[in-house]
Every structure is written in C-alpha cells, then in structure tokens.
Amino acid sequence: MKKSVLERIHSVEKKIVTSMDNEDFISISNLSEELDTLIKEFTNNVNSAKNLSKDVKELETLLSKLDFFKKQTSEIFKNYRSKVSAQTKMHKAYKKYSG
C-alpha cells in the first residue's frame, strides 16, 4: 500500500515540476492539493516500528521536496508577475503614443 502511495506521490511531484516549468499556476494548485492528500494517506499508513526509519527518511525527503516546490513556485510566480507587469506597461505606452 505505501509503495503504491509513494509511486503516486512521485508521479504528482513530476507533474508539479512540469507545471512550474510551464508557469501553469492553476495546475500547480490542483496538484498541490492532490499531493497533500497523498502525503496524508502515506503518513496514516506509517505504523510499523521496524520500518519506521525508512518511512522517516521518506518523510524527510518529502518535506525537502515540498520546501523546494514552495520556494520555486514563489520565485516563478514573482518572475511571472514581473514579466506581465512589464508587458502591461509596454502595451499602455504603445497605446498612448500610437494613437
């Protein structure tokens, strides 16, 4: 069960990276919710003391990836806003001086 959940988590992570590359913030939001649900499902299945060290490592990796996604998404969105702002200013200047 945990292996299946981990595979789904890794699949969603790849989709998030692709969405970040494409600046698809709507997909990032939806995928983040899906990832949240999967992580909760994974943590609910962590119950065996003998495998706990492996699960703890996996959870630490997930935490690290979540932190990375948070920082990257923030940076990408900041750059996106800046680019849109510059385009808007150029468009307004063009309208002002062209006609």
Side-chain angles (χ1 to χ4, degrees):
M1 173 73 165
K2 284 191 285 189
K3 184 172 174 86
S4 170
V5 173
L6 283 174
E7 289 171 356
R8 290 174 24 219
I9 286 172
H10 296 308
S11 173
V12 171
E13 290 171 345
K14 289 177 186 176
K15 291 177 185 177
I16 289 174
V17 170
T18 300
S19 294
M20 287 190 311
D21 290 343
N22 295 327
E23 296 179 349
D24 184 357
F25 301 107
I26 293 172
S27 291
I28 292 172
S29 175
N30 294 333
L31 290 166
S32 295
E33 289 178 18
E34 183 178 353
L35 185 61
D36 181 58
T37 300
L38 289 169
I39 290 172
K40 287 177 183 175
E41 185 177 339
F42 178 77
T43 56
N44 287 337
N45 289 316
V46 175
N47 57 10
S48 172
K50 65 181 180 180
N51 290 328
L52 189 59
S53 64
K54 183 179 179 186
D55 292 336
V56 167
K57 288 179 184 177
E58 194 64 50
L59 288 169
E60 287 173 346
T61 301
L62 288 170
L63 180 60
S64 174
K65 287 181 182 179
L66 289 173
D67 188 48
F68 169 78
F69 290 150
K70 177 182 173 184
K71 289 176 183 174
Q72 284 296 107
T73 303
S74 176
E75 187 66 28
I76 290 168
F77 189 67
K78 183 177 96 177
N79 292 340
Y80 175 80
R81 282 190 330 218
S82 177
K83 181 173 64 175
V84 169
S85 177
Q87 288 172 344
T88 302
K89 288 176 185 176
M90 288 189 309
H91 181 71
K92 286 181 180 178
Y94 173 77
K95 283 175 55 177
K96 181 178 179 181
Y97 293 107
S98 68

